[in-house]
Amino acid sequence: MIRRLEDSEAGVLTVRASAKVNLHLGVGAPREDGFHPLDTVYQAVSLYDDVSVAESSEWAVETVLSPYLAGTALPGPGENIVDRVGELLGGGERGASVRIGKSIPVAGGMAGGSADAAAALVALDRLWDLGTPDEELLALAARLGSDVPFALIGGTARGLGRGEQVVPVADHGDYAWVVVPDPRGLSTPAVYRRYDELFPDAPAEPASASRVLEALSYGDPGRLALALHNDLEPAAIDLLPDLEALLERGEAEGALRGIVSGSGPTCVFLCESTEAAQAVADGLGAVRPLTLLAVGPVAGAHVVEVL
Ligand code: C5P
């Protein structure tokens, strides 16, 4: 069927970006600029935010939450990371009507804000016909946040520096995840601060991602499960101690391994297959109201609709 476009819809462009999990998150002692040196391996997983942009003389951003995120606190007017994208790309002079359709848990350690920033970069660059070269988009992404370059490229990638220097990693596996969001949320800076308190003698060099990189070369979830590593997990658990019991419960329900995602508090469970993941999600349903299924790796920011 050929879809007839209504005038009011004309010129709407939608870009999708995915959530991430950190398969390895090695964290070193804070640098002079306050950021922590990282050796991390990101994997993009199939939870998505969609950013739609349309021509407008004014700048306006609205957020529409998936039903399961209802009640989540959102940034106030002018405080969304997407507002910064508009300023950086448009110099504060261009207008657009922006709608963020959120499905990625907010303040959850899955880089939902970074996904919105990456999707907005791609969408506004197209809307305003700027033709920004990829290297420049990546440099702008790094200014917006440590995880934003990865949200642009997606797939599986190693992140160095403060996480913004991304190198794609060959990943031929398919991985099934159960994602358990936590409505309490955690502030990323607060988790890093707790990490500094818990590990005042952290080495300057972050723990190497080599075990995870080797496991990925086999494409085998069992090997990857053994190699998963997150230096921020003790800090997240120190702030929200009941996460530990959730991780144990997921493993008791059949997950190969449960870890806190990034700075948390979302917990993610790597499973042998999508069927196994469904069984783990069903089991965790007894203790948590919301469990989501995801697969990875998936694509980075990409156009899904042009109306
Ligand atoms: O780069 P981004 O804006 O996502 O970082 C948010 C906060 O997380 C930083 O202000 C910092 O407190 C902390 N952070 C860090 N080291 C990193 C990345 C983030 O300390 N490598």
Side-chain angles (χ1 to χ4, degrees):
M1 190 183 86
I2 296 174
R3 180 150 171 224
R4 214 175 130 260
L5 297 182
E6 304 297 332
D7 280 350
S8 60
E9 289 187 317
V12 179
L13 176 75
T14 301
V15 175
R16 175 166 293 174
S18 53
K20 60 85 182 161
V21 298
N22 297 81
L23 306 178
H24 175 88
L25 181 49
V27 180
R31 312 188 305 199
E32 281 191 356
D33 64 3
F35 283 92
H36 294 72
L38 303 185
D39 189 350
T40 188
V41 179
Y42 302 105
Q43 184 172 86
V45 299
S46 60
L47 295 176
Y48 303 106
D49 283 1
D50 282 350
V51 173
S52 300
V53 296
E55 285 178 27
S56 168
S57 53
E58 305 289 313
W59 174 258
V61 178
E62 72 160 332
T63 301
V64 180
L65 294 169
S66 281
Y68 61 77
L69 297 178
T72 305
L74 290 171
E79 291 172 358
N80 199 297
I81 192 167
V82 168
D83 293 303
R84 287 198 56 217
V85 178
E87 283 158 24
L88 272 182
L89 261 191
E93 290 178 358
R94 291 173 187 266
S97 170
V98 184
R99 177 187 181 279
I100 306 170
K102 280 206 82 65
S103 298
I104 302 174
V106 177
M110 299 197 84
S114 299
D116 299 347
L121 274 173
V122 173
L124 291 169
D125 184 64
R126 287 255 193 139
L127 182 78
W128 293 334
D129 211 10
L130 301 175
T132 311
D134 285 356
E135 315 79 72
E136 271 180 49
L137 278 183
L138 282 166
L140 288 173
R143 286 173 62 186
L144 287 157
S146 306
D147 297 336
V148 182
F150 174 70
L152 278 178
I153 68 168
T156 303
R158 190 174 192 175
L160 297 170
R162 60 181 168 88
E164 90 286 14
Q165 295 166 24
V166 283
V167 185
V169 169
D171 181 358
H172 306 293
D174 285 309
Y175 301 98
W177 296 94
V178 176
V179 176
V180 185
D182 191 315
R184 294 172 292 185
L186 275 177
S187 135
T188 302
V191 176
Y192 274 104
R193 276 198 301 276
R194 185 56 61 96
Y195 172 84
D196 292 338
E197 288 160 10
L198 290 175
F199 304 104
D201 300 323
E205 287 290 310
S208 166
S210 53
R211 279 190 70 207
V212 156
L213 295 172
E214 196 200 343
L216 285 171
S217 71
Y218 290 94
D220 169 32
R223 278 180 192 261
L224 181 59
L226 289 174
L228 295 173
H229 176 83
N230 181 0
D231 275 341
L232 291 182
E233 185 170 289
I237 290 176
D238 199 58
L239 291 164
L240 296 175
D242 56 4
L243 296 181
E244 193 159 26
L246 176 66
L247 293 175
E248 284 167 11
R249 177 70 183 253
E251 291 176 1
E253 296 289 346
L256 295 170
R257 183 87 189 277
I259 52 166
V260 170
S261 177
S263 56
T266 306
C267 288
V268 293
F269 297 87
L270 180 59
C271 299
E272 184 66 49
S273 62
T274 46
E275 293 76 20
Q278 183 64 64
V280 171
D282 291 345
L284 285 173
V287 289
R288 292 294 286 262
L290 179 61
T291 54
L292 304 168
L293 296 179
V295 294
V298 298
H302 60 286
V303 176
V304 285
E305 197 165 40
V306 183
L307 293 172

